């Protein structure tokens, strides 16, 4: 299949899928505030549950990605996630939504979210060569960034004009279209050429448990520091995600429509980062961009946290643009390095374990944010997130990583 057409199909799927993620981030606090009248701690808990799947099901999702046809797993999970949004819509429309069903549906969406995320990470290197990995990861990040840019605005506008239940139904429809867009991308074929060392490793991994996968990751200098870096970044971002709607609506006094618009404008940075990252990687190498690319723009989140009153919205947007630029540049580089380092036959299991370790900090961050905001205030919690994000860059300032070059990664001789 032509790579450009394949890129378009995957890009379409990822854009629609990430719009559903952006929509959920906006809808969870809006439903909590307007429908159930929850306090900050319970809203923080709900946002935490929306990502709890990474912590609880990351490893299992990796096993699923290695055992079954990865493309079919993605399609099935997208359809199941669509059904969850449809159920959410029905419960809101029929006035049957309560705290228990609210938390339950969010947990189910989280389960399918981690299965999709893990399987896509393992599937992409099966249908692209190493030389094309940074390109497709740039496309995926561009799709994610496009969703960052338009998703909150569209969802906020939809909530304002159509209501919460119809917005949920529209997201469910997007997920159905998303599943159809990758239906004919290509069949998954397990690699045939595996050297003796990898065969032994494959045999061993069939008998290992989760603890040994963690050991495999932490004995690899690159993977270990990727875990520390990404886990810290995700912890900071989850604090931001849990508080951003409450901050814009409660502290700055914006309407739902303007809140969606402001969050969407912040996505300009994500779009910019995903556009320039493959070009930067091609020019300077994936290692240098992974280590140094995100450092300066990561100060943006701290800047955004100083926004005050409605005039502070401009400062918030500028800071958020910088912060999302850093996230996109770092994300493309880190995912590319991970895919190049891990052999195909254990990529799903290892990716699942890494997602469990790195994305497992997301629910913890959201939960901490909800509790802390009741004690020190929403704005102070955002400032804390900004400081943590800046510190996340320190993990990759590691001599073993700085001394690597891209050729060693391509040869997969990293230890």
């Amino acid at each position: 299949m032509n790579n450009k057409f394949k890129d378009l199909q995957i890009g379409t799927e990822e854009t629609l899928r990430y719009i559903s993620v952006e929509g959920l981030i906006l809808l969870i606090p809006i439903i909590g505030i307007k429908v159930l009248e929850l306090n900050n701690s319970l809203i923080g808990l709900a946002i935490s549950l929306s990502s709890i799947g990474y912590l609880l099901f990351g490893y299992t999702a990796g096993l699923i990605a290695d055992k079954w046809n990865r493309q079919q797993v993605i399609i099935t999970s997208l359809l199941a996630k669509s059904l969850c949004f449809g159920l959410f819509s029905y419960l809101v429309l029929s006035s049957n939504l309560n705290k228990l069903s609210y938390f339950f549906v969010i947990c189910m969406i989280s389960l399918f979210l981690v299965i999709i995320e893990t399987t896509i990470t393992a599937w992409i290197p099966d249908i692209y060569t190493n030389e094309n990995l940074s390109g497709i990861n740039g496309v995926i990040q561009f799709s994610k960034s496009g969703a960052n840019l338009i998703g909150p605005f569209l969802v906020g506008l939809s909530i304002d004009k159509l209501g919460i239940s119809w917005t949920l139904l529209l997201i469910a429809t997007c997920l159905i279209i998303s599943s159809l867009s990758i239906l004919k991308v290509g069949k998954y074929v397990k690699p045939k050429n595996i050297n003796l060392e990898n065969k032994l490793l494959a045999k061993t991994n069939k008998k290992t448990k989760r603890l040994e996968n963690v050991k495999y990751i932490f004995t690899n200098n690159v993977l270990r520091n990727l875990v520390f870096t990404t886990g810290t970044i995700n912890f900071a971002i989850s604090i931001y995600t849990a508080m951003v709607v409450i901050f814009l609506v409660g502290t700055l006094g914006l309407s739902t429509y303007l809140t969606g618009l402001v969050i969407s404008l912040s996505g300009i940075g994500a779009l910019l980062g995903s556009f320039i990252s493959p070009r930067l990687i091609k020019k300077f190498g994936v290692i240098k961009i992974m280590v140094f690319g995100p450092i300066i723009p990561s100060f943006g989140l701290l800047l955004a946290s100083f926004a005050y009153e409605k005039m502070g919205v401009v400062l918030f947007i500028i800071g958020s643009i910088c912060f999302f630029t850093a996230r996109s540049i770092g994300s493309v580089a880190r995912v590319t390095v991970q895919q190049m380092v891990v052999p195909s036959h254990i990529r799903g299991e290892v990716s699942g374990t890494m997602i469990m370790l790195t994305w497992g900090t997301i629910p913890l961050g959201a939960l901490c944010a909800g509790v802390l905001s009741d004690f020190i205030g929403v704005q102070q919690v955002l400032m804390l997130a900004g400081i943590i994000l800046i510190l996340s860059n320190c993990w990759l300032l590691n001599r073993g990583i700085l001394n690597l070059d891209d050729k060693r990664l391509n040869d997969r001789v990293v230890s």
Side-chain angles (χ1 to χ4, degrees), residues 108-366:
M108 292 304 297
I109 292 173
S110 175
L111 167 62
F112 293 112
L113 175 63
V114 69
I115 292 175
I116 296 167
E117 200 74 48
T118 304
T119 308
I120 284 178
T121 302
W123 180 52
I124 290 299
D126 292 330
I127 56 176
Y128 286 89
T129 63
N130 275 355
E131 291 74 19
N132 293 322
L133 276 181
S134 64
I136 183 57
N137 286 328
V139 170
I140 291 173
Q141 188 61 45
F142 188 82
S143 300
K144 183 176 182 178
S145 303
N148 287 150
L149 183 62
I150 65 173
F153 169 72
L154 292 176
V155 172
L157 181 63
S158 178
I159 293 171
D160 194 52
K161 301 298 182 183
L162 301 177
I164 292 171
S165 58
W166 282 104
T167 301
L168 288 163
L169 197 59
L170 283 174
I171 292 174
T173 304
C174 283
L175 288 167
I176 293 173
I177 298 172
S178 177
S179 68
L180 295 175
S181 67
I182 59 167
L183 195 58
K184 295 185 179 181
V185 167
K187 294 182 179 180
Y188 165 66
V189 180
K190 289 190 175 182
K192 295 179 181 179
N193 298 321
I194 302 176
N195 60 35
L196 180 59
E197 181 183 351
N198 285 343
K199 284 181 179 180
L200 293 173
L201 186 58
K203 185 176 180 180
T204 301
N205 270 267
K206 290 178 181 179
K207 300 176 181 178
T208 59
K209 297 181 180 179
R210 186 179 312 183
L211 185 60
E212 299 203 10
N213 283 281
V214 173
K215 183 179 177 181
Y216 172 81
I217 291 167
F218 279 90
T219 53
N220 183 299
N221 184 47
V222 174
L223 297 180
R224 179 175 65 251
N225 284 283
L226 285 180
V227 166
F228 291 148
T229 302
T230 308
T232 307
I233 290 170
N234 286 340
F235 185 79
I237 291 175
S238 69
I239 293 175
Y240 164 86
T241 302
M243 293 292 103
V244 63
V245 175
I246 298 172
F247 178 69
L248 294 175
V249 173
T251 305
L252 299 185
L254 303 184
S255 64
T256 302
Y257 166 72
L258 287 176
T259 296
L261 178 61
V262 168
I263 296 175
S264 285
L265 289 174
S266 303
I268 293 173
L271 204 62
L272 175 64
S274 63
F275 179 75
I276 65 174
S277 52
R279 291 157 180 80
L280 292 173
I281 289 171
K282 187 175 181 180
K283 185 173 182 179
F284 298 105
V286 68
I287 293 295
K288 289 181 179 178
I289 296 305
M290 179 180 72
V291 175
F292 299 110
I295 291 178
I296 294 176
S298 66
F299 280 80
L301 181 53
L302 183 61
L303 178 67
S305 69
F306 284 97
Y308 182 70
E309 296 185 344
K310 290 194 175 181
M311 290 301 294
V313 170
V314 176
L315 183 65
F316 182 88
I317 292 172
I318 293 172
S320 296
I321 288 174
C322 293
F323 145 58
F324 277 108
T325 301
R327 190 187 72 169
S328 289
I329 292 173
S331 179
V332 171
R334 289 192 305 275
V335 170
T336 300
V337 168
Q338 178 184 326
Q339 290 172 336
M340 292 169 73
V341 169
V342 182
S344 177
H345 59 284
I346 58 169
R347 193 178 292 127
E349 190 172 348
V350 171
S351 295
T353 305
M354 288 193 69
I355 283 179
M356 179 189 70
L357 294 170
T358 58
W359 293 43
T361 62
I362 295 177
L364 300 178

Side-chain angles (χ1 to χ4, degrees), residues 29-73:
I30 293 296
I31 293 172
I33 294 168
K34 296 191 173 183
V35 178
L36 298 175
E37 299 181 349
L38 303 180
N39 59 29
N40 288 355
S41 295
L42 289 177
I43 291 173
L45 174 61
I47 295 174
S48 173
L49 291 176
S50 71
S51 51
I52 196 70
Y54 297 118
L55 187 60
L56 299 182
F57 307 116
Y59 177 77
T60 304
L63 293 178
I64 291 172
D66 279 343
K67 185 174 182 180
W68 285 299
N69 183 300
R70 290 168 179 169
Q71 185 180 17
Q72 291 178 7
V73 169

